[in-house]
Each structure stands twice: as C-alpha cells, then as structure tokens.
Amino acid sequence: MRAIIAGGTGFIGRELVRELREHDWEILILSRNPGKVAAVFENGGVIGMPWDNGDWPDVLGPDTAIVNLAGENIAGGRWTRKRKRRILQSRVKAGERILQAVEQAGVAPGVLIQASAVGYYGPRGTTPVDEYAESGSGFLADVCRQWEASTAVLETIGTRRCIIRTGMVLGHGGALPRMLPPFKYYLGGPPGTGLQGVSWIHLKDEVRAIRFLMENPEASGPYNLCAPNPVNFAKFAHVLGTVLGRPYKTPVPPFALRLLFGQMADEVLLSGQLVLPERLTQAGFEFTFPDLSDALRDVLR
C-alpha cells in the first residue's frame, strides 16, 4: 500500500504520516521543499519529492492512494484580496497538478482523499447539517466548492474519490493553541453571542478517519470529519475553561473581532455550523473521542 500525500508536513499531514507508518504504508510526500520532509521525519521511511519532479507519476497505480491536503492556511492572516486569492489558488492548483500527474502516468490511482472543510455549508445557525445538505454562501463555501471540484474528473476514469469536510481539529496545532492565552489570563470566553456552532474533531480521530476511508473500498463521496457531538461556542468555551480550571464567561465583542480580522471574523468566528458525521458513522467508523471534554483533556493534559 502506497500513499502519496500533498501537504504531508502540515499539522494534519504529520499526524497522518505517523498513523500510516504504524500500519505499514509506504509514504511519499510532495513538497516544494523536499529537504524539509527529511528534517521533519528524522527516522526515515518517508520519501520527499518535488511537486514538479517528473518521477512521482511513475509510482501511480491501482494500489496507490493520493491524499490531497495542500492549501494555504485559512487563518494565517487577515483576508486581504491578495490573501484570499492565494487561499483559493493554492487549493485549486494542487488539484490541477495531481490531474496532470495522472494524465502523464496514464494510470488512475486507486483512491484519492480530497480535503475540504465544513465551511462548505456556509453559516447555518443552530440547524444541524449532514453530508446531504447543500453548499452555503460566502467566501469559504465558494473556496470549498472549487477545492472539491479541482479533482472531480478523476472519478470519470475509475478512481474512488472521498471528500473530507473537516471541522476544527483539536491538537497541538491549528486553532486551539490560539484560543488558550485569554483563558490562561482569566479572560476566556466565546466570540460574540456564543450561539454559533463549533464542529470539532480530535486530531487522532481525524487521521484515523482518513486511513479508514483510504482502506475501505466501499467508501466514496463526501464525508464530514467531525465528532458526532458538535456544540455552540458558549459550550465550547465552558468546557475549555473547565478543563483549564479558568473562567470562561468573558465574551469577545464582535466589533473587536471585525477590527482585528475583517471578513474572516464573520465567516470563521461569528458564524458556524453544527455538522454531523452521518455518512462516516453509517460506514462503521467509531470515534475514540466523541465527547468534547475527553478530547480537550487528552490534548491539554
């Protein structure tokens, strides 16, 4: 079993590599800086290869899985026009490069795991949604639609394709570490009203779910990679404060968030979704951390 991972040195990618190595997968990571791959994975067993190298299509075949996690960090800074263009183009171009490699190889990979996000559904208020819901409105929803579409043509040549719409991933990276400082200084609380939904998943369940979809020959189409118990932000702040032994009732005013983050505040912090992993649980996946308190205690212990 061979996995080719785009975005393998990122927050989720590193943990996925660890998960796959423990289950005897051969791993090749596509990177603009292959030297970084060697530095990140010091124990060996992982091959780094440039995106534009003409050799990696040669390893494509029915026994090959491609995991496309590549893309600019959505929360990496204020959404200027330039940054929004980079966020979109980094995702679409990664899909285009994968299609070019498959065309060059003349052989379809067995499976493609295509990253996406719960932002696909747009702001949803307090109404839960599953994979059967339509896409929503806003910048993130538009990015997710184009992101998912970037590799859709592979399905027409026989590749099994799974789309993973991921929520907030809880681990030593991503959004969680940025939330901790206010709580540590006794100023923790939800952004705005706190009524907006938070669809979350423990990092370990995230990579277990990806491997589950890679290895399950019946799996295809969209899957929400979120724990089965989403909460609103007020509840999230409550649980996080309790785990940290800190207060959790100091809300952050919307105007302050908009001043700091602009459009990103409205689409990421002040709105949300209560997303359910309906198709993932129907397929037989079992979560190690279905409860938010247990997940946060494991990450922060």
Side-chain angles (χ1 to χ4, degrees):
M1 297 181 292
R2 179 184 303 111
I4 300 175
I5 305 176
T9 58
F11 168 49
I12 296 173
R14 295 186 191 199
E15 187 68 13
L16 177 61
V17 169
R18 183 202 61 77
E19 173 76 12
L20 294 178
R21 289 173 73 180
E22 288 183 357
H23 291 83
D24 300 322
W25 280 77
E26 176 186 342
I27 300 169
L28 187 155
I29 293 179
L30 301 177
S31 174
R32 292 190 300 270
N33 183 5
K36 181 181 178 181
V37 174
V40 170
F41 303 105
E42 297 177 352
N43 295 329
V46 177
I47 301 171
M49 189 169 288
W51 267 101
D52 298 325
N53 188 302
D55 295 334
W56 75 267
D58 295 341
V59 301
L60 291 176
D63 61 343
T64 302
I66 299 178
V67 183
N68 182 18
L69 303 175
E72 174 113 359
N73 183 2
I74 286 175
R78 191 181 181 91
W79 285 356
T80 62
R81 193 178 308 177
K82 183 178 180 180
R83 181 174 290 277
K84 288 167 69 174
R85 186 166 58 250
R86 289 206 310 266
I87 287 172
L88 176 60
Q89 290 182 350
S90 64
R91 287 159 171 75
V92 173
K93 287 184 177 180
E96 290 174 351
R97 288 176 178 174
I98 289 172
L99 296 183
Q100 290 169 1
V102 172
E103 183 179 0
Q104 177 182 330
V107 180
V111 60
L112 170 74
I113 306 296
Q114 172 61 56
S116 186
V118 296
Y120 173 89
Y121 301 107
R124 290 287 176 156
T126 58
T127 303
V129 296
D130 58 23
E131 293 91 345
Y132 302 100
E134 295 182 355
S135 182
S137 60
F139 170 67
L140 288 182
D142 184 53
V143 167
C144 289
R145 285 191 294 270
Q146 295 191 56
W147 197 5
E148 294 181 11
S150 69
T151 55
V153 71
L154 288 181
E155 295 179 12
T156 67
I157 60 173
T159 295
R160 179 171 63 88
R161 193 174 75 115
C162 297
I163 300 166
I164 53 172
R165 296 173 182 159
T166 296
M168 179 193 297
V169 181
L170 303 181
H172 298 289
L176 183 61
R178 302 179 187 183
M179 298 180 180
L180 299 181
F183 283 88
K184 291 182 178 179
Y185 289 101
Y186 297 87
L187 296 172
T193 64
L195 298 179
Q196 62 273 41
V198 181
S199 303
W200 60 273
I201 185 170
H202 193 294
L203 178 59
K204 292 179 182 177
D205 279 334
E206 171 80 5
V207 298
R208 287 182 57 248
I210 293 174
R211 183 173 64 84
F212 174 83
L213 295 174
M214 292 168 71
E215 296 177 351
N216 184 348
E218 303 301 318
S220 65
Y223 292 87
N224 293 331
L225 266 58
C226 307
N229 297 301
V231 297
N232 62 32
F233 236 125
K235 177 67 173 180
F236 188 94
H238 180 169
V239 175
L240 180 56
T242 301
V243 170
L244 293 171
R246 295 289 193 274
Y248 49 83
K249 295 183 178 179
T250 305
V252 184
F255 78 87
L257 293 170
R258 291 188 178 107
L259 185 64
L260 288 171
F261 302 109
Q263 182 184 357
M264 183 169 63
D266 285 299
E267 291 209 27
V268 177
L269 300 173
L270 297 173
S271 65
Q273 311 87 6
L274 296 173
V275 178
L276 301 175
E278 185 70 19
R279 295 194 69 231
L280 190 60
T281 53
Q282 286 178 351
F285 181 78
E286 296 183 2
F287 287 84
T288 303
F289 297 97
D291 178 75
L292 178 60
S293 179
D294 291 341
L296 287 173
R297 290 185 189 280
D298 183 76
V299 172
L300 300 172
R301 60 185 175 180

